[in-house]
Coordinates of all heavy atoms in Angstrom, one line a residue:
Chain D
Y307 N -35.4 5.4 -2.4 CA -36.1 6.1 -1.4 C -35.2 7.0 -0.5 O -35.7 7.7 0.4 CB -37.0 5.2 -0.6 CG -36.3 4.1 -0.1 CD1 -35.5 4.2 1.1 CD2 -36.5 2.8 -0.7 CE1 -34.9 3.0 1.5 CE2 -35.9 1.6 -0.2 CZ -35.0 1.8 0.9 OH -34.4 0.6 1.4
L308 N -33.9 7.0 -0.7 CA -33.1 7.8 0.1 C -32.7 9.2 -0.7 O -32.2 10.1 0.0 CB -31.7 7.2 0.5 CG -31.8 5.9 1.3 CD1 -30.6 5.2 1.5 CD2 -32.6 6.2 2.7
A309 N -33.2 9.2 -1.9 CA -32.9 10.5 -2.6 C -34.1 10.6 -3.7 O -34.0 10.7 -4.8 CB -31.8 10.4 -3.4
P310 N -35.4 10.6 -3.0 CA -36.5 10.6 -3.9 C -36.7 11.8 -4.9 O -37.0 11.7 -6.0 CB -37.8 10.6 -3.0 CG -37.2 11.1 -1.7 CD -35.8 10.7 -1.6
I347 N -28.8 14.3 1.6 CA -29.5 13.4 2.6 C -29.0 11.9 2.2 O -28.8 11.1 3.1 CB -30.9 13.4 2.7 CG1 -31.6 13.4 1.3 CG2 -31.4 14.7 3.4 CD1 -33.1 13.4 1.3
S348 N -28.8 11.6 1.0 CA -28.4 10.3 0.7 C -27.0 10.0 1.2 O -26.7 8.9 1.8 CB -28.4 10.1 -0.9 OG -27.9 8.9 -1.1
V351 N -27.0 9.4 5.0 CA -27.4 8.1 5.4 C -26.2 7.1 5.2 O -25.9 6.3 6.0 CB -28.6 7.6 4.6 CG1 -28.9 6.1 4.9 CG2 -29.8 8.5 5.0
F370 N -27.8 11.9 11.1 CA -29.3 11.7 11.0 C -30.0 13.0 11.5 O -31.1 13.3 11.1 CB -29.8 10.5 11.7 CG -29.8 9.3 10.8 CD1 -28.6 8.9 10.1 CD2 -31.1 8.7 10.5 CE1 -28.7 7.8 9.3 CE2 -31.0 7.6 9.6 CZ -29.9 7.2 9.0
Q371 N -29.3 13.7 12.5 CA -29.9 15.0 12.9 C -29.9 16.0 11.7 O -30.9 16.7 11.5 CB -29.0 15.6 14.0 CG -29.8 15.9 15.2 CD -28.8 16.1 16.4 OE1 -27.6 16.1 16.3 NE2 -29.4 16.0 17.6
E372 N -28.8 16.1 11.0 CA -28.8 17.0 9.9 C -29.7 16.5 8.7 O -30.4 17.3 8.1 CB -27.3 16.9 9.2 CG -26.3 17.6 10.1 CD -26.6 19.1 10.3 OE1 -27.2 19.7 9.5 OE2 -26.2 19.6 11.4
R373 N -29.9 15.3 8.6 CA -30.8 14.7 7.5 C -32.3 15.1 7.9 O -33.1 15.5 7.1 CB -30.7 13.2 7.5 CG -31.5 12.5 6.5 CD -31.2 11.1 6.5 NE -32.1 10.3 5.7 CZ -33.0 9.5 6.3 NH1 -33.1 9.3 7.6 NH2 -33.8 8.9 5.5
E374 N -32.5 15.1 9.3 CA -33.9 15.5 9.7 C -34.2 16.9 9.3 O -35.3 17.3 8.9 CB -33.9 15.3 11.2 CG -35.3 15.3 11.8 CD -36.1 14.2 11.3 OE1 -35.5 13.2 10.9 OE2 -37.3 14.3 11.4
R375 N -33.2 17.8 9.3 CA -33.4 19.2 8.9 C -33.7 19.3 7.5 O -34.6 20.1 7.0 CB -32.2 20.1 9.2 CG -31.9 20.2 10.7 CD -30.6 20.8 11.0 NE -30.4 22.1 10.5 CZ -29.3 22.7 10.4 NH1 -28.2 22.0 10.7 NH2 -29.2 23.9 9.9
V376 N -33.1 18.4 6.7 CA -33.5 18.5 5.2 C -34.9 17.9 5.1 O -35.6 18.4 4.2 CB -32.5 17.7 4.4 CG1 -32.9 17.7 2.9 CG2 -31.1 18.3 4.6
Y377 N -35.2 17.0 5.8 CA -36.5 16.3 5.7 C -37.6 17.4 6.1 O -38.7 17.4 5.5 CB -36.7 15.1 6.5 CG -36.4 13.8 5.8 CD1 -35.8 12.8 6.4 CD2 -36.7 13.8 4.4 CE1 -35.4 11.6 5.7 CE2 -36.4 12.5 3.7 CZ -35.9 11.5 4.2 OH -35.5 10.4 3.6
N378 N -37.3 18.2 7.1 CA -38.2 19.3 7.4 C -38.4 20.3 6.2 O -39.6 20.6 6.0 CB -37.7 20.0 8.7 CG -37.9 19.1 10.0 OD1 -38.6 18.2 10.0 ND2 -37.1 19.5 10.9
L379 N -37.3 20.5 5.6 CA -37.4 21.5 4.5 C -38.3 20.8 3.3 O -39.1 21.4 2.7 CB -36.1 21.8 3.9 CG -35.2 22.7 4.7 CD1 -33.8 22.7 4.1 CD2 -35.9 24.2 4.7
Q380 N -38.0 19.5 3.1 CA -38.7 18.8 2.1 C -40.2 18.7 2.4 O -41.1 18.8 1.5 CB -38.2 17.3 2.1 CG -38.2 16.6 0.8 CD -37.3 15.4 0.7 OE1 -36.0 15.6 0.7 NE2 -37.8 14.2 0.9
E381 N -40.5 18.6 3.7 CA -41.9 18.4 4.1 C -42.6 19.8 4.0 O -43.8 19.9 3.5 CB -42.0 18.1 5.7 CG -43.4 17.8 6.1 CD -43.4 17.3 7.5 OE1 -42.3 17.5 8.2 OE2 -44.5 17.0 8.0
A382 N -41.9 20.9 4.3 CA -42.5 22.2 4.1 C -42.8 22.5 2.6 O -43.7 23.2 2.3 CB -41.6 23.2 4.7
W383 N -41.9 22.0 1.7 CA -42.1 22.2 0.4 C -43.2 21.4 -0.2 O -44.0 21.8 -1.0 CB -40.8 21.9 -0.3 CG -40.7 22.3 -1.9 CD1 -41.7 22.7 -2.6 CD2 -39.5 22.1 -2.7 NE1 -41.2 22.9 -4.0 CE2 -39.9 22.5 -4.0 CE3 -38.2 21.6 -2.6 CZ2 -39.0 22.5 -5.1 CZ3 -37.4 21.7 -3.6 CH2 -37.8 22.0 -4.9
T384 N -43.1 20.1 0.0 CA -44.1 19.1 -0.7 C -45.1 18.5 0.1 O -46.0 18.0 -0.4 CB -43.1 17.9 -1.3 OG1 -42.7 17.2 -0.2 CG2 -42.0 18.4 -2.1
A386 N -44.6 16.1 2.0 CA -44.3 14.6 2.4 C -42.7 14.7 2.7 O -42.1 15.4 2.3 CB -44.6 13.7 1.2
R387 N -42.5 13.7 3.6 CA -41.1 13.6 4.0 C -40.4 12.6 3.1 O -39.2 12.9 2.7 CB -41.0 13.2 5.4 CG -41.5 14.2 6.4 CD -41.9 13.6 7.8 NE -40.6 13.3 8.5 CZ -39.8 14.2 9.0 NH1 -40.2 15.5 9.0 NH2 -38.7 13.9 9.5
L388 N -40.9 11.3 2.9 CA -40.2 10.3 2.3 C -40.5 10.2 0.7 O -39.7 9.9 0.0 CB -40.5 9.0 3.0 CG -39.6 7.8 2.6 CD1 -38.2 8.2 3.3 CD2 -40.1 6.6 3.1
T389 N -41.8 10.6 0.5 CA -42.2 10.4 -1.0 C -42.7 11.7 -1.5 O -43.9 11.8 -1.6 CB -43.3 9.3 -1.1 OG1 -44.3 9.6 -0.1 CG2 -42.7 7.9 -0.7
P390 N -41.9 12.6 -1.8 CA -42.3 13.9 -2.1 C -43.0 14.1 -3.5 O -43.9 15.0 -3.6 CB -41.0 14.7 -2.1 CG -40.0 13.9 -2.2 CD -40.4 12.6 -1.7
F413 N -29.8 26.3 6.8 CA -29.1 24.9 6.8 C -27.8 25.0 6.1 O -26.8 24.4 6.6 CB -30.1 24.1 5.9 CG -29.5 22.7 5.7 CD1 -29.4 21.7 6.6 CD2 -29.0 22.4 4.5 CE1 -28.9 20.5 6.5 CE2 -28.4 21.1 4.2 CZ -28.3 20.1 5.3

Side-chain angles (χ1 to χ4, degrees):
Chain D
Y307 46 77
L308 298 177
I347 53 176
S348 172
V351 172
F370 269 61
Q371 233 162 16
E372 292 296 336
R373 180 172 173 256
E374 196 60 25
R375 291 167 63 198
V376 178
Y377 267 145
N378 288 340
L379 287 172
Q380 210 163 286
E381 189 182 7
W383 183 359
T384 66
R387 293 167 70 78
L388 199 68
T389 53
F413 174 77

